[in-house]
Structures are given as structure tokens and as C-alpha cells.
Amino acid sequence: MHFDTKAVHAGVKPDPSTGAIMTPIFQTSTYVQKSPGDHKGFEYSRTQNPTKYALQESIAALENGKHGLIFGSGLAAIDAVIKLLKPGDEVITGNDLYGGTYRIFTKVFQDFGIKFHFIDLDDVSNIENYINENTKLIWLETPTNPMMNIVDIKGAATIAKAHQVLLAVDNTFATPYLQTPLDLGADIVMHSVTKYLGGHSDVVMGALAINDDLIAEKLAFIQNSCGAVAGPFDSFLVLRGIKTLHLRMARHCENGKKVAAYLNNHPKVNKVYWPGFESHPNHNIAKEQMKDFGGMVSFTLLEDDQQASFRIMERFKLFALAESLGGVESMANHPSTMTHASVPREDRYKVGLLDSLIRLSVGIENVENLISDLEQALD
Ligand SMILES: *Cc1c(COP(=O)(O)O)cnc(C)c1O
């Protein structure tokens, strides 16, 4: 089935008791049993909930996975994946991760005896240099947040398979509209559903998509045991959001391309980070593994001056100055003081995350209005 059709239909069936075309919000904590243990497959909503099930099926279908799991946030989904590991295990991951991912790795799980290697993944063969008998997981993000680096998923999967290491991919920026990592050999796909899948800046949620039954079973066990579940109302909102994912993403990509081109020609802009440029170091990999280049664009100013970037961001009228991304409305973020404030400055500068870097989540508004807004703010 084509992606557009899955976005509209997957997971959603008319409600058996009424025929309601939309999956009802089963806002219930528990389910009445006829006799102890004699029930309809639903006992308690931490474990089973029909609205949650519909969304899990939808996300699994979009990612071409067999299993979907939804969590209270993207970080809760990451937390569950790392709980597959034990003290002494090692993880190889990128050196420009989403700030919250970096924080949970270094400030939470490192204390539990898990070792993380933050390495340059522009060339995935670098992974080989860090693999040893304790390596259990490769964790990647592509495109990366906010530097828009591209990591070769297929290349990483080949290395992971050769060493029997799990490969997990944070697919938040691309969404399954642009790339499906399970098809490229990943074992686990993770989403901050908060962003493009929800798409309307009204929900915080995370998700995992998995093909392997055993890994899915372990993750479902961790989820139920640790309890970071998502609620039925939020599930409903995301089911609704996903129905237009393909339409929104097409427009995000179209607008993102025009905004990137505009910024690239602006005299006050130093560098624009967007994987669609032929000059992007991994443009060819992006072209191969992604259908298009998405709506995220980062740029630095000619003068690397935090105050100048603040002034620009204060002047935006359409781009909302906010953390988060992937909503229908355009947003601007200052990673070094907002989303990535937990990453030390010297580590940020190593990967090019300068104080003047502004990250844009280009929305689905009219692109001429967006460009005018950039123009007046930059001038
Ligand atoms: C936002 C984000 C997360 C964390 O998700 P939450 O829903 O905020 O917990 C993880 N990875 C990426 C790439 C993100 O943008």
C-alpha cells in the first residue's frame, strides 16, 4: 500500500460497537471482567488500550515495521531502548545528537555503568574503530539535530549486522515519509512523535517501531514495567495528525528548499545547513536514503555573534521562537541556549554548533510570507 493511503487508514478501523469512523478515545484506566481472568483482552490501561493500539499499528505500518510502541515522550522511548542494556555494555553513537539524548546518555545511563562513544558518523566506517565485545548498540540520528548531518543508515546496518550489534535510528527529523530505516537494516526506529508525526504542536509523545518479535517483546515488557506510557487522548490527537503527514511533509520539504536557497544567498548568512545542497558532505547518501530533504534548515551568521542572532530571532513575526519543531507553524530555535544548552560549549564548537546558529523548522505557511519574515528580521 502507498504511504499516503497508509497515513489515512493504517490502524484505524470503524469502532465495532457503533461504527464510529474515528477510533474513539478510550479514556479509561481499567476494564470490567466477567469473572477473574475472563475479559476481552483488556485489563488495565498501562498495558492495553484500544486508542493506543490503533496508533501503534499506524506508526508500525508507516515505518514498515511489525510492531509499534508509544511512550509518554521521545525521551521515554529512548530510555526504554537503553534499558535493553546492562552495566558494562557499550553504545556507539554520533557526536551531534539531540541535546536531550546526549543528556540521558551522559547524565543518567553513564552512572548505571553503560559506556557511550560519541563519534563522527559522517563516514560510518569510523564505527569499526570503536566496536569491541561489549558493544551492544549503535544509536544514530539522521538528519542530525541541529547540524543536519546525514548518516548512512545502510552502511551502519551492515557493520551492526557483521558484529551482531543492534542498530537504532532516531527518525524524528525525516519521518517515515522521507525514510524508513527498518527497510535499510535498522532494528529499532525511534520517534519524538511530538514533532512531525503529531505535527500540530499539541502533544508530547514518543514511539518505537520494530520488526523483530523478540526485541519488540522485550521493549513492550520494559515499557509496561517502567510505565512511561502515552495516554488515549494524546493517541487520538496523533492518529488525527498522521492522516495528513504526507501532505504536510510535502509542503515542509517544498518550503524548506526555498528557505534554504534564500538564506544561502543572503549576505549576512555564513553557512546554511540543509542536506539538499549538492555541497552538503553527505548529499549523495541523503539522496539515496531519503525521498526529499525535509523542512529543517540551520544557519550561522557571518559574524558569529550570539547577540546578533538573538536580535534576529526577536524580530521574527511568523517564525515562533520556541523549542520543538515539526509543527504546521514555522518555528525558530537557538540551539546553544535552548535545545542544546546541556551540551558543553567546546563540544558544540567541535561540531560547528556555533553561538550564532539558528535552527528553523519551516512550516506549511505560504513560503513568500516566510521569506519576507526572514528578510525583515535579517535586515
Ligand atoms: C525532540 C527530540 C527528541 C526528544 O523527544 P521528546 O518528545 O521531546 O521527549 C529526540 N530526538 C530528536 C531528534 C528530537 O528532536
Side-chain angles (χ1 to χ4, degrees), residues 73-75 98 141 145 170 172-173 190 192 194-195 205 325:
S73 69
L75 279 166
Y98 169 69
E141 228 178 273
N145 177 2
D170 181 337
T172 300
F173 267 38
M190 175 261 154
S192 171
T194 315
K195 316 294 169 54
M205 190 190 286
L325 59 108

Side-chain angles (χ1 to χ4, degrees), residues 8-230:
V8 175
H9 290 286
V12 181
K13 295 173 202 77
D15 174 50
S17 67
T18 61
I21 191 163
M22 288 306 303
T23 307
I25 305 166
F26 284 89
Q27 196 72 39
T28 187
S29 61
T30 191
Y31 307 84
V32 178
Q33 310 194 4
K34 243 167 106 182
S35 166
D38 181 3
H39 52 73
K40 301 182 160 86
F42 294 90
E43 296 157 286
Y44 187 61
S45 276
R46 176 165 22 78
T47 321
Q48 308 106 344
N49 182 280
T51 322
K52 169 177 106 166
Y53 280 173
L55 178 57
Q56 293 189 154
E57 205 176 315
S58 165
I59 291 175
L62 295 180
E63 286 289 357
N64 294 331
K66 255 171 89 183
H67 307 277
L69 289 170
I70 59 165
F71 294 81
S73 69
L75 279 166
I78 297 172
D79 173 75
V81 174
I82 305 303
K83 283 175 180 159
L84 291 170
L85 309 180
K86 297 197 165 46
D89 287 350
E90 298 189 12
V91 179
I92 298 171
T93 186
N95 63 1
D96 84 296
L97 293 173
Y98 169 69
T101 307
Y102 179 81
R103 183 176 54 200
I104 192 174
F105 287 176
T106 55
K107 300 277 165 69
V108 179
F109 283 112
Q110 218 153 258
D111 290 346
F112 286 82
I114 294 165
K115 188 168 174 185
F116 295 87
H117 300 273
F118 300 95
I119 71 167
D120 185 342
L121 290 174
D122 270 0
D123 179 356
V124 289
S125 67
N126 192 20
I127 293 171
E128 299 270 13
N129 300 326
Y130 294 86
I131 287 196
N132 62 45
E133 69 275 14
N134 296 323
T135 311
K136 295 288 152 59
L137 174 71
I138 298 167
W139 180 277
L140 33 116
E141 228 178 273
T142 181
T144 64
N145 177 2
M147 300 313 299
M148 305 306 295
N149 288 317
I150 298 293
V151 183
D152 176 2
I153 299 173
K154 214 185 239 174
T158 307
I159 296 169
K161 292 247 148 44
H163 296 275
Q164 293 183 307
V165 171
L166 288 177
L167 173 65
V169 177
D170 181 337
N171 204 25
T172 300
F173 267 38
T175 81
Y177 174 82
L178 294 178
Q179 75 191 6
T180 45
L182 295 177
D183 293 333
L184 301 172
D187 300 290
I188 300 168
V189 169
M190 175 261 154
H191 277 282
S192 171
V193 175
T194 315
K195 316 294 169 54
Y196 287 105
L197 294 189
H200 295 74
S201 308
D202 51 10
V203 175
V204 173
M205 190 190 286
L208 299 175
I210 311 104
N211 261 326
D212 186 85
D213 295 340
L214 194 63
I215 299 170
E217 195 185 307
K218 281 186 189 166
L219 286 165
F221 177 82
I222 291 168
Q223 182 193 45
N224 188 48
S225 305
C226 300
V229 295

